[in-house]
Amino acid sequence: MGQVVVISTGGTIASRWQGSGFAAEARGGDVLATATVPEGVTVRVVDLMSVNSARLTTAHQLTLLRAVREVLADPAVDGIVVTHGTDTLEESAFFLDLHHDDPRPVVFTGAQRPLEAPDGDGPRNLHDALLTASSVRDLGVLVVFNGQVHAARGTVKVQTLDADAFADPSGSRIADVTADGILIHRRPQRPAPLPLPAAVEPLPRVDMVMHHCDGDPLLFNAAVAAGAQGIVLVATGAGNATPEIGAAVEAAVSRGVLVALTTRVPTGPVAEIYTQGGAVDLAAAGAVLTGTLRAGQARIALLSALLSDSDPAGRARALRHTLGAAPAPATADLSAA
């Protein structure tokens, strides 16, 4: 065990009462003071931002990614903990995971209850995240919550208020935090990391459109008209919509818009089974199926692909790469510090 850097970004774990509701305002040192630091771990705090995570933007996420790279440039750092709001934690964690190229862990955590709540879950989560960040290697970006360690890919918020807030609905957690340390069950599968995105302005617009009974292409076409370079189609079932939406997808793809297909169903992959506007037709129209990634993370995969290349064909290749799951390089010891 050694030095862990805590990057504070706000969220419920840093929230205090504002008279009519809670909002992030506490500094990272205040948050850290609530937790027990594991024996042998030294902690340095970086106050990067203090926002409720529903307000996060791509610019915020790029700032966080670059801050992580800067911290990991110091070989004395053993790992990073990011304290983050739970609303969009799954998006930021996956964004960093797609670009993370270091064996040292980046561990996201937060809280469902505010900073000064008598039954707050933040102190335990932060302790467990510090322990994880100081004692594992080659697992990519992780989410630690309620004594469980999850891979960033596939992990989403599954409870609005309960402390057991995160899970991969289509998979299993990779480790548990125990009295004896981190008990690892499996190694996450990750594609080769994408390079750090170049500074570009304006940042690409990526929208999400959900299909439903009576759904038509109006909102999908509105996203194209608004300048979206990527659209996530949140379809029904295994990835199904209508022939009219299929035609809208084909027209958008022909204009260079990158379209990703996911489902509003909580568990399971999208699959080419049905025609008449189903995933068979949507894939033929140029939509890229996203496996078990749900809407928020499918959008992040699109975003990273758009930031990686300016050519539509290159962007489509990058998107398919982010959706792959090639095994990470083997290491001698998963739990070595």
Side-chain angles (χ1 to χ4, degrees):
M1 294 187 181
Q3 183 185 150
V4 175
V5 174
V6 173
I7 299 179
S8 177
T9 70
T12 299
I13 196 171
S15 290
R16 291 190 171 108
W17 182 250
Q18 304 296 305
S20 59
F22 291 92
E25 69 161 23
R27 296 178 63 83
D30 297 332
V31 175
L32 180 63
T34 68
T36 301
V37 176
E39 186 176 355
V41 175
T42 61
V43 181
R44 176 165 63 89
V45 176
V46 174
D47 282 299
L48 188 65
M49 62 188 81
S50 186
V51 295
N52 294 341
S53 70
R55 295 175 52 209
L56 282 184
T57 64
T58 298
H60 286 125
Q61 291 168 326
L62 285 167
T63 296
L64 176 57
L65 174 60
R66 292 174 182 134
V68 165
R69 287 291 182 94
E70 290 173 7
V71 169
L72 290 177
D74 181 356
V77 173
D78 290 286
I80 292 175
V81 169
V82 178
T83 55
H84 195 287
T86 60
D87 283 0
T88 57
L89 185 151
E90 64 202 56
E91 297 174 48
S92 297
F94 185 49
F95 182 65
L96 264 62
D97 191 56
L98 288 174
H99 299 273
H100 186 55
D101 62 356
D102 194 290
R104 292 169 291 179
V106 177
V107 181
F108 278 70
T109 195
Q112 291 281 71
R113 302 181 186 102
L115 179 66
E116 293 162 349
D119 59 346
D121 55 331
R124 178 196 176 187
N125 288 341
L126 184 50
H127 166 272
D128 291 351
L130 291 169
L131 182 63
T132 303
S134 65
S135 56
V136 305
R137 288 291 181 273
D138 293 300
L139 297 179
V141 177
L142 304 170
V143 177
V144 171
F145 237 84
N146 199 46
Q148 301 172 358
V149 182
H150 304 277
R153 178 184 291 267
T155 295
V156 297
K157 188 171 182 179
V158 295
Q159 294 279 352
T160 57
L161 300 175
D162 191 82
D164 192 11
F166 287 90
D168 179 351
S170 299
S172 60
R173 63 184 180 273
I174 65 170
D176 288 300
V177 182
T178 74
D180 297 318
I182 309 302
L183 177 61
I184 298 173
H185 306 305
R186 65 178 181 91
R187 181 195 298 272
Q189 305 251 302
R190 303 172 62 227
L194 296 170
L196 186 71
V200 296
E201 290 292 342
L203 291 168
R205 180 185 181 103
V206 184
D207 289 323
M208 296 190 293
V209 178
M210 180 179 286
H211 183 54
H212 51 83
C213 292
D214 293 328
D216 62 26
L218 176 67
L219 295 179
F220 188 96
N221 291 333
V224 175
Q229 296 181 44
I231 300 175
V232 178
L233 176 58
V234 186
T236 59
N240 307 309
T242 67
E244 294 77 16
I245 289 177
V249 168
E250 185 173 19
V253 171
S254 72
R255 295 176 55 173
V257 178
L258 197 54
V259 178
L261 178 64
T262 186
T263 173
R264 68 188 201 184
V265 180
T267 305
V270 289
E272 294 180 58
I273 301 172
Y274 297 102
T275 59
Q276 298 185 356
V280 171
D281 299 338
L282 295 170
V288 178
L289 278 63
T290 60
T292 59
L293 290 185
R294 287 329 188 241
Q297 292 194 340
R299 182 186 174 278
I300 291 298
L302 265 180
L303 174 65
S304 290
L306 293 170
L307 290 171
S308 73
D309 205 317
S310 59
D311 174 66
R315 288 173 163 182
R317 285 193 298 271
L319 175 58
R320 288 184 170 88
H321 172 80
T322 67
L323 300 173
T331 57
D333 184 359
L334 277 172
S335 58

